[in-house]
C-alpha cells in the first residue's frame, strides 16, 4: 500500500471539513460523502503507472474517469438481485418468510431494498415489478391495489434518495403493470426510474399506457427487448440509467473514456487511431482488471454478503462496463485537425469516422481478456455513459450535442441507428416532445415501433411542460433543482447532478419534437 504524502492528507482533511460544513447537503448525503473520503485515504490497487496523468488531472485534460468509484472497492458498482427468488423463498438473514399476498410482497421488497448495496449505497435495480407483483394482485380490486402501490412508490421515492434506482416492466401485458403506470403518472416522482421492455408481442394498448405515463412523469423509457435478449439472454435487467445487465448479477465496475479530450491529444486522425486511442484503451482496461481482481479476490464481498450466500446473486453473473463519452466531440475535433468542416450528426464523412472509432473500440474490447467476466465471454460490455455534472465539452455516449440536433426527427433516428448496436450494457437517446402529444400518443408509438426495427436500442420521451425531466439517463424534478440552486438542501443526490448538467451540459435546451 502506497503511503499518502503530507499534501494528500491535508487535501483530504480539507475535503472532509468542506463536506461537514456544507449547508446544502442533508445528513445522509454528508454520511455518504464522508465514507467516500475515508475510502480514498487508502491506495490498495496496483494501478497502471500512467493512470494518474490521465485520470487525476483537471476535467478539461482528463481522458479516463472512474465515475467516483473510489480507490478501495469493497462492493460491485451495480447489483441486480433475483427478486423473484426472494419473494418465493424469503430470506434467512433478513428473517423474512415467503410473501403470501400483495402487502407481504411490497413490505418485504422495501426491507430487501434497504440491504442491497451499490456505488451509491442505494439499490440501482428494484425488480421487474409488474411480473413480480402480478401473482399477488389476483382477486384484489383496482383501488386497493393502487393504494398499496401508491404507498410503496412513495416509500421508494422518499427513502431511496437517488434516481439511479431503476424498475422494469414488460414486455408482456399485465394488470399489475397497468396499475403501476397509472400510479406513477399520478405521483410524478423522480424515483424510481422505469423502463418498459417492448417486444413485437407487446400490445399497442399496453405501450400506449406507457406513453401516457411518460408524458406525465418522464417514465417509462422504452427498451428494444429483442436486442437485449439477443445479446444478454432472457434473464436480463435494465438497471441504473439504462444499463443492460444479467439478473442475479451486475457489474463490478464502470470506467469511461473521455473521447473528446483523447482526440485533443492527437495530431491527426491517423495518430488518434494508431497511437493515442490504443494507449488510452489499454490503460483503462488494465485499471478495470485490477479493480475487478480486488473486489473478487480481496474484498470478501462475495463470501460475506447474504445476497451471495443465499443465492440472490451469483458471482459468475457479474461483468464490467467499458464506458465512453464524447464521441461527437472526438469526431468534430479530428475533422478540424484535418481541415474539414463536417460535423457529427450532419455529415456522412463525420458519421463514418464515428463508426470507425466505435469499430476500433469494439475490436479492442473483443480482444481483451477481462478477469471474472465469464458471463460475457471473458470481455467487458461496452457502455455509452451518460456523463457527469461537471463534464465540459463532452456529450453523453454517442449522442449528437444538444443544440445541434437535426431538424428532422427521421434524420436523427437514422443517425442513432448507426451506434446503438455497440452497447449491450446501455445507450439511449432522449426526446422532449410538444404538449400536443398528450392528445396524440400514437405519434410516439409509431416512432417506437419503427425505431425498434432498425437496431435502435433505447428511447426516452417526456413532455416539454413536465416537472420531472430526464437528464441523461436518470430523472430529476425541475422544482427540486430550483430549490437546490437557491441554497436549500434536497432529498435526492441526483438533483445536484441534474443542476450541474443544466448549467454545464444544456439539458434544458434540447430540441422539442
Amino acid at each position: 500500500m502506497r503511503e499518502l504524502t503530507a499534501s494528500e492528507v491535508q487535501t483530504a482533511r480539507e475535503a472532509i471539513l468542506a463536506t461537514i460544513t456544507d449547508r446544502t447537503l442533508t445528513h445522509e448525503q454528508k454520511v455518504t460523502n464522508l465514507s467516500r473520503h475515508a475510502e480514498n485515504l487508502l491506495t490498495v490497487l496496483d494501478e497502471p503507472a500512467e493512470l494518474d496523468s490521465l485520470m487525476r488531472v483537471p476535467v478539461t485534460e482528463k481522458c479516463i474517469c472512474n465515475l467516483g468509484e473510489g480507490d478501495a472497492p469493497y462492493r460491485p458498482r451495480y447489483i441486480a438481485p433475483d427478486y423473484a427468488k426472494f419473494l418465493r423463498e424469503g430470506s434467512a438473514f433478513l428473517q423474512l418468510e415467503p410473501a403470501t399476498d400483495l402487502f407481504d410482497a411490497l413490505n418485504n421488497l422495501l426491507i430487501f431494498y434497504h440491504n442491497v448495496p451499490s456505488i451509491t449505497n442505494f439499490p440501482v435495480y428494484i425488480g421487474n415489478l409488474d411480473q413480480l407483483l402480478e401473482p399477488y394482485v389476483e382477486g384484489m380490486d383496482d383501488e386497493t391495489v393502487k393504494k398499496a402501490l401508491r404507498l410503496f412508490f412513495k416509500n421508494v421515492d422518499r427513502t431511496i434518495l437517488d434516481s439511479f434506482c431503476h424498475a422494469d416492466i414488460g414486455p408482456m401485458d399485465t394488470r399489475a403493470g397497468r396499475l403501476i403506470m397509472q400510479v406513477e403518472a399520478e405521483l410524478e416522482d423522480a424515483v424510481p426510474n422505469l423502463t418498459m421492455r417492448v417486444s413485437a408481442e407487446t400490445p399497442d394498448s399496453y405501450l400506449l399506457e406507457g406513453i401516457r405515463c411518460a408524458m406525465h412523469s418522464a417514465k417509462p423509457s422504452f427498451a428494444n427487448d429483442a436486442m437485449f435478449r439477443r445479446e444478454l439472454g432472457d434473464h436480463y435487467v435494465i438497471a441504473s440509467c439504462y444499463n443492460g445487465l444479467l439478473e442475479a448479477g451486475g457489474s463490478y465496475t464502470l470506467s469511461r473514456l473521455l473521447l473528446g479530450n483523447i482526440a485533443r491529444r492527437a495530431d491527426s486522425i491517423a495518430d488518434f487511431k494508431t497511437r493515442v486511442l490504443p494507449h488510452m484503451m489499454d490503460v483503462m482496461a488494465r485499471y478495470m482488471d485490477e479493480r475487478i481482481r480486488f473486489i473478487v479476490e480481496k474484498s470478501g464481498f462475495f463470501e460475506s454478503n447474504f445476497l451471495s450466500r443465499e443465492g440472490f446473486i451469483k458471482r459468475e453473473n457479474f461483468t464490467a462496463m467499458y464506458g465512453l463519452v464524447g464521441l461527437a466531440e472526438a469526431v468534430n475535433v479530428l475533422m478540424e485537425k484535418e481541415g474539414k468542416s463536417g460535423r457529427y450528426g450532419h455529415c456522412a464523412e463525420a458519421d463514418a469516422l464515428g463508426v470507425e472509432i466505435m469499430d476500433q473500440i469494439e475490436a479492442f474490447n473483443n480482444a481483451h481478456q477481462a478477469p471474472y467476466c465469464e458471463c460475457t465471454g471473458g470481455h467487458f460490455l461496452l457502455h455509452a455513459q451518460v456523463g457527469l455534472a461537471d463534464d465540459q465539452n463532452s456529450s453523453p455516449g454517442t449522442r449528437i450535442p444538444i443544440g445541434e440536433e437535426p431538424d428532422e426527427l427521421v434524420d436523427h433516428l437514422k443517425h442513432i441507428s448507426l451506434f446503438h448496436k455497440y452497447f449491450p450494457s446501455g445507450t439511449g437517446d432522449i426526446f422532449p416532445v410538444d404538449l400536443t402529444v398528450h392528445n396524440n400518443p400514437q405519434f410516439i408509438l409509431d416512432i417506437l415501433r419503427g425505431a425498434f426495427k432498425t437496431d435502435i436500442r433505447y428511447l426516452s420521451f417526456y413532455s416539454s411542460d413536465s416537472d420531472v425531466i430526464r437528464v441523461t439517463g436518470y430523472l430529476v424534478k425541475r422544482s427540486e433543482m430550483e430549490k437546490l440552486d437557491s441554497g436549500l438542501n434536497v432529498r435526492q443526490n441526483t438533483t445536484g447532478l441534474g443542476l450541474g448538467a443544466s448549467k454545464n451540459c444544456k439539458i434544458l435546451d434540447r430540441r422539442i419534437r
Side-chain angles (χ1 to χ4, degrees), residues 257-290:
L257 301 167
L258 286 88
L259 293 175
N261 287 348
I262 293 172
R264 293 182 184 96
R265 296 195 178 202
D267 297 327
S268 63
I269 292 175
D271 185 47
F272 175 82
K273 290 181 177 181
T274 59
R275 180 182 66 88
V276 180
L277 181 60
H279 175 66
M280 303 296 179
M281 291 191 294
D282 176 65
V283 172
M284 192 169 87
R286 287 188 283 124
Y287 174 58
M288 290 175 62
D289 290 347
E290 174 63 14

Side-chain angles (χ1 to χ4, degrees), residues 10 47 72 153 168 174 183 188 209 226 247 254 257 298 300 331 389 428 453 466:
Q10 181 59 28
E47 298 175 348
F153 282 117
D168 298 343
T174 61
V183 168
E188 297 187 24
E209 191 80 50
E247 186 179 50
L254 163 61
L257 301 167
K298 296 183 179 180
V331 167
K453 293 178 181 178
S466 176

Side-chain angles (χ1 to χ4, degrees), residues 23-40:
R23 297 187 181 186
T24 66
L25 296 176
T26 65
H27 171 73
E28 290 81 4
Q29 290 162 357
K30 288 184 178 183
V31 169
T32 295
N33 290 349
L34 289 171
S35 71
R36 289 174 178 165
H37 293 317
E39 179 187 352
N40 288 334

Side-chain angles (χ1 to χ4, degrees), residues 76 252 295-296 300-305 308 313-315 318:
Y252 301 112
I295 292 170
V296 175
F301 175 84
F302 289 101
E303 293 77 20
S304 63
N305 192 279
S308 181
I313 60 173
K314 299 177 181 178
R315 206 280 308 153
F318 279 77

Side-chain angles (χ1 to χ4, degrees), residues 229-351:
R229 288 184 190 273
R230 186 166 65 242
E231 297 152 340
L232 301 178
D234 291 339
H235 300 290
Y236 79 92
V237 308
I238 305 295
S240 188
C241 289
Y242 44 44
N243 309 350
L245 297 168
L246 296 186
E247 186 179 50
S251 178
Y252 301 112
T253 185
L254 163 61
S255 291
R256 63 177 187 159
L257 301 167
L258 286 88
L259 293 175
N261 287 348
I262 293 172
R264 293 182 184 96
R265 296 195 178 202
D267 297 327
S268 63
I269 292 175
D271 185 47
F272 175 82
K273 290 181 177 181
T274 59
R275 180 182 66 88
V276 180
L277 181 60
H279 175 66
M280 303 296 179
M281 291 191 294
D282 176 65
V283 172
M284 192 169 87
R286 287 188 283 124
Y287 174 58
M288 290 175 62
D289 290 347
E290 174 63 14
R291 296 190 69 87
I292 293 169
R293 289 192 185 98
F294 188 89
I295 292 170
V296 175
E297 298 175 5
K298 296 183 179 180
S299 76
F301 175 84
F302 289 101
E303 293 77 20
S304 63
N305 192 279
F306 85 100
L307 294 171
S308 181
R309 293 200 315 269
E310 296 188 17
F312 302 121
I313 60 173
K314 299 177 181 178
R315 206 280 308 153
E316 57 269 26
N317 283 354
F318 279 77
T319 186
M321 298 161 62
Y322 196 81
L324 59 89
V325 293
L327 180 65
E329 285 73 19
V331 167
N332 291 340
V333 165
L334 292 172
M335 292 288 284
E336 289 171 8
K337 286 178 181 289
E338 301 287 343
K340 298 177 179 180
S341 60
R343 301 282 292 178
Y344 183 84
H346 297 273
C347 165
E349 184 179 6
D351 289 350

Side-chain angles (χ1 to χ4, degrees), residues 10-260:
Q10 181 59 28
T11 298
R13 287 174 172 169
E14 292 171 358
I16 290 169
L17 180 60
T19 294
I20 290 171
T21 57
D22 190 334
R23 297 187 181 186
T24 66
L25 296 176
T26 65
H27 171 73
E28 290 81 4
Q29 290 162 357
K30 288 184 178 183
V31 169
T32 295
N33 290 349
L34 289 171
S35 71
R36 289 174 178 165
H37 293 317
E39 179 187 352
N40 288 334
L41 288 171
L42 295 175
T43 53
V44 298
L45 300 177
D46 183 16
E47 298 175 348
E50 311 95 319
L51 186 68
D52 276 356
S53 64
L54 302 177
M55 188 170 77
R56 298 182 178 98
V57 293
V59 65
T60 54
E61 302 171 23
K62 189 175 294 189
C63 295
I64 294 172
C65 172
N66 70 5
L67 292 161
E69 286 190 3
D71 293 332
Y74 56 93
R75 75 295 198 205
R77 183 181 185 99
Y78 298 132
I79 296 174
D82 184 344
Y83 289 107
K85 175 181 171 68
F86 165 64
L87 291 181
R88 188 171 62 248
E89 300 177 5
S91 167
F93 177 78
L94 296 178
Q95 298 179 305
L96 292 173
E97 298 296 322
T100 59
D101 60 26
L102 180 64
F103 303 104
D104 274 352
L106 296 178
N107 185 60
N108 286 5
L109 286 172
L110 291 172
I111 294 169
F112 197 85
Y113 297 157
H114 187 72
N115 292 275
V116 178
S118 76
I119 190 62
T120 65
N121 296 322
F122 298 109
V124 297
Y125 172 68
I126 60 172
N128 199 28
L129 286 180
D130 62 340
Q131 294 183 26
L132 286 174
L133 299 178
E134 184 72 0
Y136 299 102
V137 304
E138 185 176 350
M140 299 180 67
D141 66 90
D142 283 0
E143 288 309 310
T144 301
V145 173
K146 288 171 70 172
K147 181 175 182 179
L149 290 174
R150 197 175 292 115
L151 294 172
F152 170 79
F153 282 117
K154 282 185 179 180
N155 187 300
V156 168
D157 182 72
R158 307 313 193 262
T159 62
I160 300 178
L161 305 177
D162 184 290
S163 63
F164 295 118
C165 167
H166 206 117
D168 298 343
I169 58 175
M172 67 184 73
D173 187 350
T174 61
R175 176 168 169 250
R178 289 176 179 268
L179 295 175
I180 285 169
M181 288 187 282
Q182 291 172 24
V183 168
E184 285 286 56
E186 169 197 327
L187 292 175
E188 297 187 24
D189 285 328
V191 180
N193 206 335
L194 185 66
T195 289
M196 176 184 283
R197 307 190 296 183
V198 180
S199 72
E201 289 71 41
T202 304
D204 282 358
S205 62
Y206 197 62
L207 186 49
L208 285 169
E209 191 80 50
I211 293 166
R212 284 189 283 266
C213 182
M215 290 302 99
H216 288 282
S217 62
K219 56 184 170 181
S221 294
F222 303 92
N224 187 335
D225 184 64
M227 284 186 77
F228 281 106
R229 288 184 190 273
R230 186 166 65 242
E231 297 152 340
L232 301 178
D234 291 339
H235 300 290
Y236 79 92
V237 308
I238 305 295
S240 188
C241 289
Y242 44 44
N243 309 350
L245 297 168
L246 296 186
E247 186 179 50
S251 178
Y252 301 112
T253 185
L254 163 61
S255 291
R256 63 177 187 159
L257 301 167
L258 286 88
L259 293 175

Side-chain angles (χ1 to χ4, degrees), residues 444-506:
I444 293 178
L445 186 147
D446 292 340
I447 293 171
L448 286 168
R449 291 295 192 194
F452 287 169
K453 293 178 181 178
T454 62
D455 276 348
I456 289 178
R457 183 181 299 277
Y458 195 91
L459 293 174
S460 302
F461 302 87
Y462 62 89
S463 175
S464 58
D465 69 334
S466 176
D467 186 30
V468 182
I469 62 170
R470 189 163 296 276
V471 179
T472 50
Y474 58 94
L475 304 173
V476 299
K477 285 190 170 185
R478 298 178 201 258
S479 55
E480 291 292 286
M481 288 196 295
E482 291 168 2
K483 288 180 185 177
L484 182 61
D485 200 27
S486 70
L488 299 175
N489 52 32
V490 294
R491 291 193 316 273
Q492 290 158 359
N493 301 332
T494 33
T495 302
L497 301 181
L499 180 60
S502 71
K503 295 182 176 182
N504 293 331
C505 308
K506 301 186 289 186

